Amino acid sequence: MTDLPGSTQSAPAEPTVPAHRPPPPGPEPAPESAPGPPSASASVPASASAGTTPPKEADSATADSPTADSDSGRGAYLSNRFLARAALLTALLTAAGALLGLVRDQTIAHLYGAGPGTDAFLVAWTVPEVASTLLIEDAMALILVPAFSLALARRAAREPLPAGSPPDGTSGRDPVHALLRTTLPTLLLALSAGAVLLMLAAPWVVALLAPGLPDTRLAVDCTRLTATCAFSFGIAGYCSAALRAHGSFVPPAMIYVAYNIGIIATMLILSDRLGVRAAAAGVAVGGCLMVLVQAPVVLRRLRERRATAERTAPEPSGEQPGGAGRPLVALGLLAPVIVFALTRQSQVLIERFLAAPLPAGAISHLNYAQKVAQMPMVLSLMLCTVTFPVVARAMAAGDTDRARRRVERDLALAGVIVLVGAATVVACAPQIIEILFQRGAFDRADTAATAAVMRVYALGLLGHTLVGALVRCYFSAARPLWFPALAMLLGLALTTAGGALLVGTWGVLGIAAGNALGITVTAVLLLHGVARHSVPVRVRHMTGGLVKLSAAAAAATGAGWLCGALIPAPLPGAAVACLVVAAVFLVIARAVQAPEIDSLVRSVTGRFANVR
């Protein structure tokens, strides 16, 4: 769900990265307490600055734009204010998309309940879930954002032709346009073939995903409709990567808003005629809207050329920015990224495979519980999404201390957010599900079953967050790393084995427990391997901090559960439980000196103190 937004013509809120310019005279800036981002000639938001000079948007960013402060001769660094602003915009738009996702799920629950028809649709829903991970989030972003960033850096440096290159060779073209010519046609062909193949193979896909499903014909019809997202999601992911590399964060974060609006509108219009197939048709419509919301900005950005007669100074390493002669897309990196992304998403496939023989509604209960439970995880990863290029640039420049500080702070902040969210989910799961879904065909029994599953899922939320945050460290390095994929494969094996062993005793709760077990083991492996394979994080220090935060979350969960149970009405009970969870967590976390708690309190109290 994760990772994001940039702006359009009228968005003064978009933090647009200005063009690279020589550092101003004067002393170097003092090191910030929160590790700052790297040079603007590097990854996602950073590298975008090296490549484009938007004529008007740079002016509209005003004080929130990245500054061109000098740092050891490595060029302009993004300001912490820019990162915070970009993360805030990303979080707000992602939250809007998540809320619309809840409305979408509420609409499905209201129109179709939690029965055989919904189960058939949710088998087909596996297609957009896998496509989203592979084509929009993990794989596409981890491969193409660095590629576009490198192309922008080469454009800014006006890299000379290698000796012996023909004047009309690819190396003599604009690097960004050369990257487009070498990747986009192949991608379009592969996506088209994949979508058609998926439509033709829909009966076998359904049989593989849910062998015990009673109504396979309905599931096949829905799968063929959702198969269109194999094409539309790929184009949307390509656009998102290009925009993030150009420093534009609002349009990529708006895609899930547009996507869910398309699904909801299609269901409301066509539900009477198509039944649950209308939801599958909505996936096709929403995929097209994902592309349309970004296309105008992408076209404008890609037409921009950096017009400068002087090349910028080389980096201290003696290499040109982006590395002269280095391929824009490192083929060796594709396999580990794709294997990791597919393995991570396969957890959902395993869960639905194990749940298919269970009574009707089991897959639906898993789906609704997972969607709600993962909202804290999605929000906790917003900062990591924005700072991913910061870590990548710092590692490329050899500034491992800057990368370490950034990663440690991101992990602590993400841990605070996700653990408060997990405590809230466990404390008042029945109230949350009743408020969100209990209406129409979704009855009280569905609420009880979904709430129980959601509580078990919440046990693995910290693991999901750590995996999502740490994998960015592993793939920020220039060399391909197989360790994350291997760790994820082990986690998937534990998820499968645990779910298979527990489903006979605990039913759908056993499947959720297997998920929590597998992802937690994966997170532990990635945390303890990151110092050796990637960023030199202080593992013992971070482990101790996360243990303190988890202890505070456990105490807050008990207090919130008790207070919520004392109030019979769901809405007031959930509201009181949320407040109690947050208050108890904060008090205990400060008492045990958990990381980042004091800085968060100072930040909030400082803002209130400045209000007059």
Side-chain angles (χ1 to χ4, degrees), residues 549-568:
L549 291 173
S550 298
T557 300
W561 195 329
L562 178 62
C563 293
L566 295 176
I567 303 175

Side-chain angles (χ1 to χ4, degrees), residues 1-5 86-101 137 244 249-250 252-257 260 374-375 377-382 385:
M1 309 182 147
T2 240
D3 266 236
L4 283 82
L88 177 61
L89 289 173
T90 294
L92 290 175
L93 286 168
T94 302
L99 289 175
L100 283 171
E137 304 300 338
R244 290 171 185 172
F249 285 87
V250 171
M254 290 177 63
I255 60 176
Y256 290 110
V257 173
N260 287 316
Q374 286 188 349
M375 287 185 65
M377 177 202 73
V378 172
L379 293 176
S380 68
L381 289 175
M382 291 302 99
T385 298

Side-chain angles (χ1 to χ4, degrees), residues 67-295:
T67 60
D69 294 334
S70 169
D71 189 273
S72 304
R74 283 192 298 268
Y77 271 72
L78 299 179
S79 67
N80 280 333
R81 188 177 182 185
F82 169 79
L83 289 177
R85 193 164 179 243
L88 177 61
L89 289 173
T90 294
L92 290 175
L93 286 168
T94 302
L99 289 175
L100 283 171
L102 283 177
V103 174
R104 175 201 68 210
D105 291 340
Q106 288 174 333
T107 306
I108 293 173
H110 178 76
L111 293 175
Y112 314 116
T118 313
D119 285 353
F121 165 71
L122 290 176
V123 171
W125 182 258
T126 304
V127 176
E129 283 183 323
V130 174
S132 174
T133 298
L134 186 61
L135 300 177
I136 298 178
E137 304 300 338
D138 289 345
M140 188 75 80
L142 291 172
I143 292 169
L144 283 179
V145 166
F148 272 105
S149 299
L150 178 59
L152 288 166
R154 287 184 175 179
R155 173 195 279 179
R158 300 189 64 191
E159 188 171 276
L161 291 175
S165 296
D168 57 346
T170 301
S171 58
R173 302 171 181 167
D174 174 69
V176 176
H177 295 172
L179 177 60
L180 285 171
R181 283 189 290 268
T182 55
T183 58
L184 188 55
T186 303
L187 181 67
L188 290 173
L189 181 61
L191 294 174
S192 302
V196 172
L197 182 62
L198 191 55
M199 290 178 185
L200 296 176
W204 295 276
V205 171
V206 171
L208 178 65
L209 294 177
L213 198 68
D215 192 352
T216 57
R217 181 177 179 181
L218 179 58
V220 168
D221 290 345
C222 291
T223 300
R224 284 178 172 149
L225 287 168
T226 59
T228 57
C229 73
F231 180 83
S232 59
F233 280 22
I235 304 305
Y238 194 94
C239 293
S240 295
L243 286 174
R244 290 171 185 172
H246 280 80
S248 189
F249 285 87
V250 171
M254 290 177 63
I255 60 176
Y256 290 110
V257 173
Y259 175 62
N260 287 316
I261 288 175
I263 296 176
I264 294 168
T266 305
M267 283 193 295
L268 295 177
I269 295 171
L270 298 178
S271 180
D272 291 340
R273 296 174 56 188
L274 299 180
V276 75
R277 292 178 179 86
V283 172
V285 174
C288 295
L289 293 179
M290 279 181 160
V291 178
L292 294 177
V293 79
Q294 299 181 96

